[in-house]
Amino acid sequence: MESLICAVLLIAIRLLFIYGADSALLDHGKSRVWGPGLELADKLPLNARYFYIEPRDAQNNIISDPLKYRVLFKGRSVLGECRVKIEQIDRFDGSSLIRYKLAETCWDTEIHVLHGERHLGNSPYRFSGKLYTENCNCPQADLEEWTQQIDCPNSDPQIESDLIPFRAVNFSSLRPRIIQQYDKPGSVSLCNYVIKENQIYRTCYGRYTGFKMYMDALLLSLARKAILPDMELFVNLGDWPLVTKGGHRRTTGPYPIFSWCGSEDTFDIVMPTYDIVEATLEAMNRVTLDMLSVQRKGIPWKDKEPKAFWRGRDACRERLDLVGISQKHPDLVNASLTNFFFFRDEEKKYGPKVAYISFFDFFNYKYQINVDGTVAAYRLPYLLGGSSVVFKQDSKYYEHFYSKLEKWKEFVPIKKDLSDLVGSIEKAKTIDDTMLTIRDNAKSFVEKHLLPKSILCYYGLLFKEYAKSIVSSIQVLPNMEKVDQPTTSTSCECDLKHQNSHDEL
């Protein structure tokens, strides 16, 4: 009898070691499992599909310490069993993000989500259709139907506002004017794209057109997932928005030019930045910092340095001012420049420059400062997705999601000249609970607006609505270069019913 009791105790101790002390509190029925990596796995091919697990106890309270889960894939591929890479990213609130990457197309797939030997949520999740990889050119519906299939919003206030001036776009007359206005190789770089029968073509203007790779990748990715509407567009490859209010105008409004950054004094149609596009398409591939990995738990809030942190280059005067504030108030601000380019003659005053550190180490500090660079600082999505509180500088520049942010809800506002920064940090240190609420609100905002599904939804909705405004015929223009889909090393095994006849020849 004693040996049996000892054996039971030994098993219990081993389970406690493997699954953690809080695992005994877990209520499998009340714990939540959700996300597009389960609900839309067969409709939203991503390099990194993802979903969440939120552990809850019998009283429906969230268990604050993340647990260890098992995610099992059962499915078939042309190579036999479905091959998949799985990562668990534990978050600061006790939940975990599970992301996975398929090596090739899978079908008859089951995804089992377990804690110990017991299923969570509605596990196992079964898919009778095919789960394609990101690089499979297998569009399954037209763009409007696809955005409905993956539960994209029906509208977006920023898109509606941006498209107001462009009710009837006639490129027959507009195109030569746009090229004449902005073909300035030394200062402007832009590309004229045509999407025809779900094929991508472009002509680029300017000396520095390397950033076309990001727009190419985005359009090609969408075209692999859905049949894009025929359309023509001009894309600004530079940082600064181009179409100045009060500048060159036509009778029906300004020129329709797409940019990654907007401003209060321009008409540019704003789209998600090249940076977040790359993070969306290349997660679990060639990028390590993305909107999923940045949610990693890090050190607990109580152990973070109670200071504001910033690193970056000297892209504007306010960044130098920030370093000056740090020099005067090192107990409140840790800010240094990593490179001098625009203000090299002031390095002695605001230096020395410091070495780069991992972005993940930024979150060893309670507060993060977001200051403009040449335009909006494209790091803001990642700062909001981390485990610190963001202090955001007031600015005329904005990204596609700024209009949805609320002051003192998802971030702490600071003046453009940073004159209230020190006082704001001192106040933050006295209202720790409020800071934690702001941090948690920012996390919810990121989940709703800035994860890969939301980025693709935004582009899908933007192009769907924009294409309706074009009244001129869509033609591939002379001297345009075709942007081909990349060759794939994985087996896609596409269903052919929605493929272009071009691809079936």
Side-chain angles (χ1 to χ4, degrees):
M1 184 66 178
E2 290 182 358
S3 61
L4 178 61
I5 293 174
C6 289
V8 171
L9 286 174
L10 182 60
I11 292 172
I13 291 171
R14 285 177 176 173
L15 289 173
L16 191 65
F17 177 77
I18 294 171
Y19 298 117
D22 285 328
S23 64
L25 304 174
L26 182 73
D27 188 303
H28 291 74
K30 290 185 170 62
S31 296
R32 295 179 61 214
V33 182
W34 79 100
L38 295 177
E39 299 151 7
L40 303 170
D42 56 344
K43 297 179 177 65
L44 182 58
L46 290 168
N47 204 54
R49 290 170 166 92
Y50 58 96
F51 62 92
Y52 295 98
I53 303 175
E54 183 180 76
R56 291 179 176 265
D57 61 21
Q59 286 72 45
N60 207 31
N61 298 313
I62 298 174
I63 298 173
S64 59
D65 291 328
L67 307 177
K68 294 301 178 185
Y69 306 100
R70 293 196 302 141
V71 179
L72 306 178
F73 272 73
K74 297 181 180 180
R76 297 185 296 131
S77 75
V78 293
L79 300 179
E81 292 186 0
C82 184
R83 298 181 300 159
V84 61
K85 177 182 178 182
I86 304 169
E87 293 181 359
Q88 176 175 330
I89 298 174
D90 295 331
R91 306 199 299 170
F92 61 77
D93 62 352
S95 65
S96 294
L97 187 156
I98 308 296
R99 62 179 184 174
Y100 61 93
K101 178 181 179 180
L102 300 178
E104 60 270 328
T105 297
C106 299
W107 59 87
D108 295 336
T109 306
E110 293 183 4
I111 303 177
H112 295 239
V113 184
L114 307 104
H115 179 262
E117 299 300 322
R118 295 185 61 184
H119 289 272
L120 296 174
N122 295 319
S123 176
Y125 298 85
R126 296 183 172 91
F127 303 91
S128 57
K130 292 180 177 178
L131 274 60
Y132 297 114
T133 60
E134 160 65 36
N135 56 5
C136 284
N137 186 15
C138 302
Q140 295 300 296
D142 63 47
L143 185 62
E144 183 160 8
E145 182 182 350
W146 180 71
T147 55
Q148 293 173 354
Q149 288 177 355
I150 65 171
D151 298 323
C152 293
N154 294 321
S155 62
D156 186 280
Q158 185 65 54
I159 292 175
E160 291 177 353
S161 174
D162 283 350
L163 295 182
I164 284 175
F166 311 112
R167 299 299 191 190
V169 178
N170 187 339
F171 278 109
S172 298
S173 59
L174 275 180
R175 188 186 312 109
R177 297 180 189 177
I178 293 174
I179 295 171
Q180 181 181 12
Q181 177 76 11
Y182 296 109
D183 186 9
K184 302 174 181 177
S187 58
V188 176
S189 297
L190 77 163
C191 289
N192 181 196
Y193 282 89
V194 165
I195 293 86
K196 181 76 171 179
E197 297 179 355
N198 216 36
Q199 305 298 312
I200 317 297
Y201 306 85
R202 59 162 158 72
T203 300
C204 293
Y205 303 87
R207 187 177 302 165
Y208 309 104
T209 61
F211 275 35
K212 65 180 180 288
M213 63 181 283
Y214 299 107
M215 198 64 198
D216 290 354
L218 182 279
L219 290 171
L220 290 171
S221 177
L222 285 177
R224 292 193 294 269
K225 297 170 175 60
I227 304 296
L228 302 181
D230 289 356
M231 60 181 174
E232 181 174 355
L233 64 158
F234 279 83
V235 175
N236 170 25
L237 302 180
D239 285 331
W240 286 275
L242 293 178
V243 190
T244 306
K245 291 181 179 178
H248 188 76
R249 300 287 297 275
R250 58 190 177 95
T251 56
T252 55
Y255 294 139
I257 293 181
F258 288 76
S259 290
W260 289 304
C261 179
S263 70
E264 296 170 357
D265 54 1
T266 55
F267 281 109
D268 295 51
I269 302 168
V270 181
M271 53 188 180
T273 67
Y274 61 84
D275 193 284
I276 202 168
V277 165
E278 183 178 42
T280 294
L281 301 182
E282 295 294 338
M284 293 186 76
N285 194 18
R286 73 165 182 251
V287 301
T288 55
L289 175 64
D290 56 69
M291 292 306 300
L292 303 176
S293 65
V294 78
Q295 298 182 52
R296 202 174 304 277
K297 182 179 179 181
I299 65 176
W301 176 263
K302 63 181 178 61
D303 297 329
K304 293 179 185 288
E305 286 278 347
K307 297 181 182 180
F309 185 84
W310 182 86
R311 289 291 186 273
R313 64 184 184 126
D314 63 333
C316 66
R317 170 57 62 181
E318 287 81 8
R319 292 188 169 192
L320 272 65
D321 295 339
L322 176 58
V323 173
I325 293 172
S326 178
Q327 292 170 344
K328 293 179 181 178
H329 301 276
D331 57 322
L332 297 176
V333 182
N334 181 340
S336 295
L337 291 158
T338 55
N339 197 14
F340 283 85
F341 180 80
F342 296 98
F343 299 93
R344 289 173 178 168
D345 57 333
E346 299 188 54
E347 182 172 357
K348 184 176 181 180
K349 180 178 180 180
Y350 294 104
K353 63 183 179 182
V354 299
Y356 292 94
I357 69 169
S358 168
F359 196 88
F360 298 101
D361 291 338
F362 283 25
F363 303 108
N364 293 340
Y365 294 79
K366 283 189 173 181
Y367 318 119
Q368 301 296 320
I369 302 172
N370 189 79
V371 183
D372 279 350
T374 51
V375 288
Y378 294 166
R379 71 180 69 183
L380 182 57
Y382 307 100
L383 295 180
L384 292 169
S387 56
S388 301
V389 175
V390 177
F391 285 59
K392 182 187 175 302
Q393 177 198 32
D394 187 32
S395 171
K396 72 174 184 178
Y397 296 110
Y398 57 85
E399 296 177 61
H400 76 281
F401 63 91
Y402 280 22
S403 61
K404 300 180 183 70
L405 287 168
E406 294 184 38
K407 299 176 181 179
W408 290 106
K409 181 179 180 182
E410 289 103 7
F411 70 95
V412 176
I414 52 177
K415 294 179 179 178
K416 179 174 174 54
D417 65 3
L418 310 182
S419 60
D420 60 345
L421 175 61
V422 170
S424 296
I425 297 170
E426 290 175 335
K427 178 181 178 180
K429 295 178 70 172
T430 67
I431 50 173
D432 217 39
D433 288 345
T434 300
M435 293 297 103
L436 284 170
T437 299
I438 291 174
R439 181 197 67 173
D440 293 346
N441 290 340
K443 176 180 72 72
S444 298
F445 182 93
V446 166
E447 289 177 7
K448 185 175 182 180
H449 298 293
L450 296 176
L451 296 190
K453 177 197 164 186
S454 296
I455 299 304
L456 294 179
C457 278
Y458 193 95
Y459 268 108
L461 180 59
L462 175 60
F463 290 149
K464 177 170 69 77
E465 295 303 316
Y466 167 74
K468 296 175 183 177
S469 70
I470 302 175
V471 297
S472 50
S473 63
I474 306 300
Q475 300 294 332
V476 179
L477 303 170
N479 302 320
M480 276 194 158
E481 177 184 3
K482 187 173 185 291
V483 185
D484 291 317
Q485 290 286 355
T487 56
T488 174
S489 59
T490 62
S491 300
C492 290
E493 296 292 313
C494 298
D495 290 332
L496 298 179
K497 62 180 180 179
H498 290 291
Q499 281 193 295
N500 298 331
S501 58
H502 175 87
D503 294 332
E504 296 174 11
L505 295 177

